[in-house]
Amino acid sequence: MTMLSDSQRFLRSRSGRGLLLYLAFCAGVSGAVGYGFYHFSVNWFKEHKSEEKIIALRLVDAFVTNYSATRPQLGVAAPVPATFRAHSIESFNKGAGPDDDFRLRWVGRQGREIATGPTDASTAETIEAFATESDPKPKSEFLSVNNQLMFRTVYPSLAHEQSCVNCHNALQPTNTQWHLNDVMGAFVIDVPASPFLNSILIECAGLSMTLFLALGSAGFAFSVVHFRQMTEREAAAAEISSTRAFLHTVIEHMPAVVVVKDARDHRYVLFNLAAESVFGVRHGDMIGKRVEDLLPKEQAEFFSNCDREVLRSRVLADVGEQSVNTPQIGTRILRTKKVPILGKDGEPQYLLTVSEDVTEHKRAEERIAHLAHHDGLTGLPNRAAFSERLSSTLERQMAGTFALMCLNLDRFKEVNDVFGHSVGDAVLQEAARRMQSVMDGAFLARLGGDEFTVITAHGSHPETAAALADRLLAITADDFEIDDHTLRIGLSIGVAIFPADGRDVTALLANANAALYRAKAEGRGAIRFFEAEMDTRLHERRVLQQELQTAIESRALFLNFQPQALIGGEIVGFEVLLRWRSPGRGLVPPATFIPLAEECGLIIPMGEWVLREACREAASWDRPLQIAVNLSPVQFRRGDLPALVHSVLLETGLAPSRLELEITEGVLIDDFSRAVGILRRLKLLGVRIAMDDFGTGYSSLSYLQSFPFDKIKIDRAFIANLNKNPQSAAIIRAVIGLGRGLDLPVVAEGVETRDQLEFLAREACDEVQGYLIGHPRSIEDYAEIVGRSCRSDHVGAVRSA
């Protein structure tokens, strides 16, 4: 494509058009030379071919004449010269091969021939023409004979010997009598001309083509060189023009103000677009004007003095930042530099001024400085500002006392999950406004989420801190009216007093958080001051976390399996339950270490290990029973859960249809759209998804509508209260009816008595799970069910189920 474009460009150029004209000239010259060579060759052919044949015939004629003179000496029996000649020609023609280049005939004059009359009118006319001439000469011409181009030479034959005349007259006494020197006839020589003419034509064409190529190549080379030179000149001219236009465009569109003044009269000669936008004056209105026509008198005098100083110094000058009152966009801050442009004589010719509008930059710096120390949502000081304030307060109050308060909004997570983040943000803003209104000089900061802190550096403590805490509880106890929603939030407060509860930032903040943790654990909406025993509990929690991490690393965790059965008693699968037996604590309840693992992130490696071990175990069973594994909401927020499940299935060889993943609605509450996307990817793997603890949350019905679950599990709390609370029975019936309507199997958890099982059977519950069916045990205790060798001490509860 590029070569084609270059060729078209070349042909459109003057060099290309000149080349075409030159090639036309070369074609004419080559054709003329070829035609001349052809004409010359044909003439040469005529002259040489006729001449050489004529010479031969003259020799023959001379021989016949000599023969005629000597014939009387040969006797009467000797042939007459005419007969001798005719026989000689006939013998020659018979002996001539097909490749000979001519044929010879003797033709008698019409009316006088013995037996060789003319075969065509042209030959007869030529011979008769000889008779009219005193000295006839041979004649040659091209003609077509039997559709073949021939070169014919007619050579006159005269009666030079009286003996020939006498012989002829004796042989033909009744015909016209011959006389001495009469034209008796002619020798006719036909030479095929087509091969010669064809070869000459090819040679002429080759000569013309060679000459044309030679002349054309020279002209083409010259044209290409000329085209390249012209192209380079045009490119250079275009580049210069483009550079000028580019520089003009760059200067015009530079984001900085660029103006140029004449050094002699200080009038503007250049005024770019940025200058127009800043000063609100069009380019055409400023060319030829002075700075006095643009700015107020005081500012104009300042810039004029700067201009004169720069012109005197003849060096680049940084004028710095100035505030300029512009007519269109108000006050702008300009950072200006000026440089004189010297002429050839070394004197200043122009003055270039470049100004950068840093107004927005200054404002952005102020905003950044504000945002660096303030929360973007509430406008309160942020964590960084709080840390600086706490450190400075510690330094100032080393001899005094102050209180550090940690605040946490109650039920904020539920509001955020149910009503959305926009309502949650509005709640935070309103809570911040209310708390700020009762600070009375105390320092309030937002650390993130619904966490706030207060530093009270004035007054006696803990009394002042207690009074402020009471005001905070009161101000947040009133309902929050947000987007037509009436919300009740509440507040929990933990307080630590310096120096009694800590003499450094770390200890003081940790103890205030411990007090807050105690306030939330005891029912929320409370104020708690730090006590020594709280530190003990925090320490115990940290120790437990360390032991759990060690247990995970050392593979000290183990799995129990609890059977799941159809309502008729057939075991169809097992739920995997994680257990931890600590060397120092014994069997640690899952309700203790699972939340701790979720809080500190250990649930990720723990959950991966549980999934892999459960799938590996189930893949070894002879019976294809289901295996159910619980997933934590934290696993949905971190990592790629579908990829993990896929790799585990491939690694263990477990059929995807045998794996059932149990989730609670907490998975969907955190980030509904992301969670549903992950669940759909899991479904594509072929695994089953079950909704666990159904009926205990806010939005279970909408979740069932949004995602095609494979199973619903009724929370054990409803089963446990079946005989105590009539509402539990109604809820169970409703859930079973819902599952039947949605064509979803329903599993009842926590079935421990025959009465519970019979109730569920009457209500047509699909599956049951609980101590009545089987306790969580090692899989070895259920070897017979999964298809392993039977154990003699198999649990009786399973056999009875």
Side-chain angles (χ1 to χ4, degrees), residues 283-340:
H283 168 271
D285 296 335
M286 282 308 300
I287 300 300
K289 301 292 183 63
R290 299 174 182 269
V291 69
E292 290 81 2
D293 302 319
L294 179 64
L295 298 176
K297 182 178 180 180
E298 292 183 0
Q299 293 184 355
E301 288 181 356
F302 172 79
F303 283 110
S304 294
N305 293 333
C306 289
D307 292 347
R308 285 189 288 269
E309 182 63 30
V310 172
L311 290 173
R312 280 195 299 268
S313 66
R314 300 186 182 183
V315 294
L316 173 67
D318 189 346
V319 181
E321 296 178 0
Q322 299 87 33
S323 294
V324 179
N325 295 321
T326 64
Q328 297 292 333
I329 55 178
T331 301
R332 310 300 293 178
I333 301 175
L334 301 181
R335 182 179 295 154
T336 304
K337 292 184 179 181
K338 295 177 179 288
V339 60

Side-chain angles (χ1 to χ4, degrees), residues 153-172:
T153 300
V154 181
Y155 179 78
S157 178
L158 279 65
H160 291 295
E161 298 294 332
Q162 187 61 45
S163 60
C164 290
V165 173
N166 296 334
C167 179
H168 175 270
N169 292 334
L171 291 174
Q172 296 183 358

Side-chain angles (χ1 to χ4, degrees), residues 456-717:
T456 59
H458 305 286
S460 59
H461 296 288
E463 293 80 5
T464 301
L468 177 57
D470 289 336
R471 293 197 302 272
L472 288 170
L473 287 181
I475 199 68
T476 56
D478 295 336
D479 292 342
F480 285 67
E481 300 292 338
I482 307 293
D483 294 343
D484 298 328
H485 300 294
T486 301
L487 307 173
R488 186 174 293 274
I489 303 298
L491 191 66
S492 296
I493 303 174
V495 185
I497 306 298
F498 175 84
D501 299 330
R503 304 188 66 88
D504 56 54
V505 171
T506 303
L508 199 61
L509 188 58
N511 291 337
N513 273 312
L516 174 63
Y517 183 80
R518 177 71 174 274
K520 295 180 73 68
E522 292 182 358
R524 304 181 179 181
I527 305 169
R528 290 293 180 269
F529 284 81
F530 176 75
E531 299 172 0
E533 65 180 45
M534 296 180 184
D535 188 51
T536 303
R537 290 177 181 170
L538 284 177
H539 177 72
E540 176 65 20
R541 185 176 179 82
R542 296 191 190 98
V543 172
L544 185 63
Q545 176 181 334
Q546 185 62 40
E547 291 181 0
L548 178 59
Q549 183 170 358
T550 302
I552 295 173
E553 294 172 354
S554 62
R555 304 296 177 93
L557 303 176
F558 62 94
L559 300 180
N560 275 348
F561 296 80
Q562 186 172 28
Q564 297 174 331
L566 297 177
I567 195 67
E570 179 186 356
I571 303 298
V572 293
F574 289 86
E575 179 180 358
V576 176
L577 301 172
L578 182 62
R579 296 292 183 261
W580 175 27
R581 190 182 303 278
S582 171
R585 304 174 187 271
L587 193 62
V588 181
T592 298
F593 72 85
I594 294 295
L596 178 62
E598 290 180 328
E599 180 181 329
C600 64
L602 293 176
I603 194 67
I604 299 299
M606 182 188 300
E608 180 177 346
W609 179 82
V610 171
L611 178 66
R612 182 170 280 104
E613 290 301 314
C615 291
R616 182 180 290 112
E617 174 60 40
S620 67
W621 300 343
D622 292 338
R623 295 185 60 193
L625 301 177
Q626 294 284 328
I627 187 72
V629 180
N630 289 280
L631 296 179
S632 167
V634 180
Q635 292 176 276
F636 279 75
R637 294 195 296 266
R638 304 183 187 177
D640 190 346
L641 183 60
L644 171 64
V645 173
H646 188 211
S647 65
V648 168
L649 291 173
L650 292 176
E651 176 186 334
T652 60
L654 180 69
S657 59
R658 292 180 58 194
L659 177 61
E660 182 174 279
L661 301 176
E662 296 186 4
I663 68 166
T664 62
E665 64 181 11
V667 167
L668 300 168
I669 288 175
D670 287 343
D671 188 344
F672 178 76
S673 59
R674 183 174 185 274
V676 169
I678 293 175
L679 290 175
R680 292 189 187 280
R681 290 175 61 194
L682 291 171
K683 284 276 287 186
L684 290 175
L685 296 177
V687 303
R688 297 164 58 84
I689 308 295
M691 170 67 82
D692 199 8
D693 298 340
F694 185 79
T696 60
Y698 290 97
S699 309
S700 296
L701 296 180
S702 64
Y703 295 150
L704 292 179
Q705 186 181 18
S706 302
F707 181 78
F709 287 93
D710 298 293
K711 186 180 291 186
I712 301 174
K713 299 189 74 174
I714 302 175
D715 187 73
R716 65 181 68 251

